[in-house]
Amino acid sequence: GQNIDQPTEMTATEGAIVQINCTYQTSGFNGLFWYQQHAGEAPTFLSYNVLDGLEEKGRFSSFLSRSKGYSYLLLKELQMKDSASYLCAVRYSGGYQKVTFGTGTKLQVIP
Amino acid sequence: DGGITQSPKYLFRKEGQNVTLSCEQNLNHDAMYWYRQDPGQGLRLIYYSQIVNDFQKGDIAEGYSVSREKKESFPLTVTSAQKNPTAFYLCASGRDTSTEAFFGQGTRLTVV
């Protein structure tokens, strides 16, 4: 299988930093995406990692360790609008570069 | 403005009826996808298309059908054979199947 594991829910305080972890099976790995999804809305693309290391985009950063099958999304200077679900999606080698989504982490930012 | 549009946002149907969900994109993307999202589950792939006039089954294609007669359009039909059709359906497109996906706003289908 290609199980992708993320925590179901997290709570963090406005202005703080939060790290959302994602683990996945490494066989056939060919890239990892992070998406943000507000309740009842469409997911929107946040980041893509295919090589080891940290990718930074403003308040959001994403890290990947291919050998460990591990990624995290780091959100800094949390704002109330960051309350959303964060979806980890892994692309595996295959006919069409199959992408498998995790169940998502619901983040609640509190004042 | 470029984007991907799904319609309608909410849809109600009686059990036993087929229903077609619309998905249109003007991003000039070759790849298009249909996903289903249920509470507590990740997005699950129903069908995908890498190019016009071609489409492939995803992980949960049973009870669904699609067509890709135009590059811009990828409608999904939920047939009466789909045992649990009530769900949130998301359409997406991408430059190709190796790049990030751009999602429509979704259609929430309720079958009563």
Side-chain angles (χ1 to χ4, degrees):
Chain A
Q2 297 164 336
N3 288 346
I4 298 172
D5 292 317
Q6 305 178 235
T8 303
E9 295 182 347
M10 298 182 72
T11 301
T13 305
E14 190 176 13
I17 299 172
V18 70
Q19 178 175 310
I20 301 173
N21 297 326
C22 173
T23 58
Y24 60 89
Q25 295 194 352
T26 58
S27 176
F29 174 82
N30 200 15
L32 186 144
F33 301 89
W34 283 98
Y35 289 86
Q36 179 191 61
Q37 185 179 24
H38 285 98
E41 297 184 9
T44 54
F45 170 74
L46 289 177
S47 67
Y48 172 67
N49 295 71
V50 66
L51 300 176
D52 286 351
L54 188 69
E55 296 277 343
E56 297 188 72
K57 265 189 191 181
R59 292 190 300 116
F60 292 7
S61 303
S62 56
F63 171 83
L64 177 69
S65 169
R66 293 176 64 117
S67 62
K68 294 182 180 177
Y70 168 67
S71 173
Y72 67 73
L73 182 69
L74 193 71
L75 288 72
K76 303 176 187 175
E77 301 170 13
L78 279 172
Q79 301 176 9
M80 298 300 290
K81 67 178 181 180
D82 297 329
S83 293
S85 288
Y86 291 86
L87 312 180
C88 173
V90 178
R91 185 171 72 206
Y92 288 98
S93 299
Y96 93 101
Q97 301 282 318
K98 182 182 164 115
V99 173
T100 300
F101 280 82
T103 55
T105 299
K106 187 175 181 179
L107 173 67
Q108 183 181 14
V109 179
I110 57 176
Chain B
D1 289 336
I4 180 165
T5 304
Q6 288 185 243
S7 61
K9 191 169 183 178
Y10 299 95
L11 190 55
F12 294 85
R13 277 295 181 271
K14 289 186 178 179
E15 194 172 330
Q17 291 181 335
N18 291 356
V19 60
T20 297
L21 281 58
S22 168
C23 179
E24 304 278 333
Q25 54 97 0
N26 61 3
L27 299 167
N28 200 33
H29 285 166
D30 282 318
M32 295 190 75
Y33 314 87
W34 274 104
Y35 290 91
R36 171 182 171 140
Q37 189 173 36
D38 296 283
Q41 296 196 44
L43 274 66
R44 292 184 290 165
L45 182 66
I46 304 172
Y47 268 96
Y48 67 97
S49 168
Q50 297 183 74
I51 200 164
V52 66
N53 290 323
D54 179 71
F55 51 83
Q56 304 294 329
K57 292 182 180 180
D59 300 317
I60 54 166
E62 186 176 349
Y64 299 98
S65 66
V66 293
S67 63
R68 187 87 188 274
E69 297 174 1
K70 296 187 300 181
K71 188 175 186 177
E72 302 79 19
S73 179
F74 192 40
L76 173 76
T77 297
V78 184
T79 75
S80 57
Q82 168 51 230
K83 293 188 181 356
N84 295 296
T86 294
F88 188 48
Y89 290 88
L90 285 161
C91 179
S93 70
R95 183 164 47 83
D96 55 53
T97 54
S98 66
T99 58
E100 74 271 20
F102 293 81
F103 286 83
Q105 289 301 304
T107 293
R108 191 166 297 279
L109 173 65
T110 302
V111 176
V112 296

